[in-house]
Amino acid sequence: MNKKITTLLIIIFMFNAPLAQGVTTTFIIGAQAGYASGQVNTTSNYFALNTNRESQHVNLGVHGPLAGLFLGCDFSATKVIILGLETNVTLSNIQGKDRRTTTTNVETDHIEQKLKYACDLLLKVGYRYHALLGYIKTGGVLGRWRFESVFASTQNPKPIDFSKNKIVPGVKVALGVEGEISQYVSWGAEYNHTFFKSYTIHRPDENGEDIPYKSSPNYGSFLLRIMCKI
């Protein structure tokens, strides 16, 4: 998909190059904040060594606020078409919790998953209509997810408290609009959706055996943005 987008951008530039007097470069620095909601599709195999037992599946709902900073650079060869690059660093409180009981009905597991922060590098294509700029963005993202499990059973009343952080890659797509406040200051509103690659966390049980948890996170967020353009 990224190769097709790159080819399209090259064609746009080639088509508009004869009409342009030159390429205008605009540097951007800004801040953004908003709210996100999504899910982490999780499979927990409490009986990994026993093939006669089925795994448990759950869509763990996650949500929470997020905020961050971004840097970008826009290139305009015409008055209406812009191309750009943008990088975002986001602090997050997106999280969700779940309590489940194993099929033996004697063990309970309190699970929490949280996105602590994320960073990305995105390719931007925009179209200017009067004072408004509409755009789409796509690119790669890295997120740090934290997995926590508190596992207890009637046979072992002392809970097993386990946590682990994992850097997970993914892909982000975004749709947004920008408007001018002054010559150098602009506002923006954006919706984006991030799809992370599936990852597996292994937690030891009371016997020292690994219990695998396979997770597939994704979430969408709505952001309000303020930026300075030079």
Side-chain angles (χ1 to χ4, degrees):
M1 180 176 179
N2 289 334
K3 291 183 179 180
K4 293 182 180 179
I5 294 175
T6 303
T7 303
L8 177 61
L9 296 180
I10 294 174
I11 294 173
I12 292 173
F13 258 138
M14 292 177 63
F15 181 79
N16 287 280
L19 304 177
Q21 299 297 322
V23 176
T24 301
T25 302
T26 303
F27 296 97
I28 304 170
I29 182 171
Q32 57 190 354
Y35 196 83
S37 179
Q39 62 183 10
V40 182
N41 190 345
T42 305
T43 300
S44 307
N45 192 343
Y46 298 102
F47 308 98
L49 300 180
N50 189 337
T51 57
N52 295 323
R53 302 291 184 92
E54 295 183 354
S55 302
Q56 292 190 14
H57 305 271
V58 66
N59 284 328
L60 180 65
V62 293
H63 55 85
L66 67 166
L69 302 175
F70 60 93
L71 296 172
C73 188
D74 285 350
F75 306 95
S76 178
T78 72
K79 293 183 179 181
V80 295
I81 301 295
I82 69 102
L83 301 177
L85 289 173
E86 180 177 300
T87 181
N88 296 264
V89 178
T90 304
L91 297 178
S92 164
N93 195 37
I94 302 172
Q95 59 183 317
K97 300 179 181 180
D98 179 65
R99 178 184 180 275
R100 62 188 74 179
T101 303
T102 65
T103 54
T104 59
N105 293 320
V106 297
E107 299 159 320
T108 58
D109 194 5
H110 294 262
I111 297 174
E112 178 177 352
Q113 299 211 49
K114 177 180 180 181
L115 177 65
K116 303 188 71 175
Y117 63 81
C119 57
D120 58 55
L121 180 62
L122 307 175
L123 181 65
K124 178 180 179 182
V125 183
Y127 182 85
R128 188 178 301 279
Y129 182 75
H130 297 298
L132 293 179
L133 172 67
Y135 63 84
I136 58 174
K137 297 186 300 188
T138 186
V141 58
L142 291 175
R144 185 177 184 180
W145 285 88
R146 181 175 179 83
F147 173 88
E148 296 184 0
S149 169
V150 180
F151 187 80
S153 67
T154 56
Q155 299 176 348
N156 186 6
K158 184 178 180 180
I160 300 175
D161 195 346
F162 174 84
S163 63
K164 187 173 183 178
N165 295 317
K166 184 86 170 181
I167 301 294
V168 185
V171 175
K172 176 183 286 187
V173 293
L175 178 67
V177 62
E178 296 176 5
E180 294 182 356
I181 298 176
S182 67
Q183 182 180 358
Y184 299 107
V185 180
S186 297
W187 62 268
E190 176 180 305
Y191 175 81
N192 59 59
H193 207 102
T194 304
F195 302 88
F196 286 95
K197 183 179 179 181
S198 298
Y199 63 94
T200 301
I201 298 293
H202 293 270
R203 175 184 64 78
D205 64 7
E206 63 270 21
N207 299 317
E209 298 175 350
D210 284 342
I211 298 177
Y213 297 78
K214 184 178 180 180
S215 301
S216 300
N218 77 88
Y219 68 87
S221 59
F222 178 77
L223 301 172
L224 296 178
R225 296 155 56 94
I226 188 75
M227 68 205 81
C228 179
K229 296 186 176 184
I230 303 174

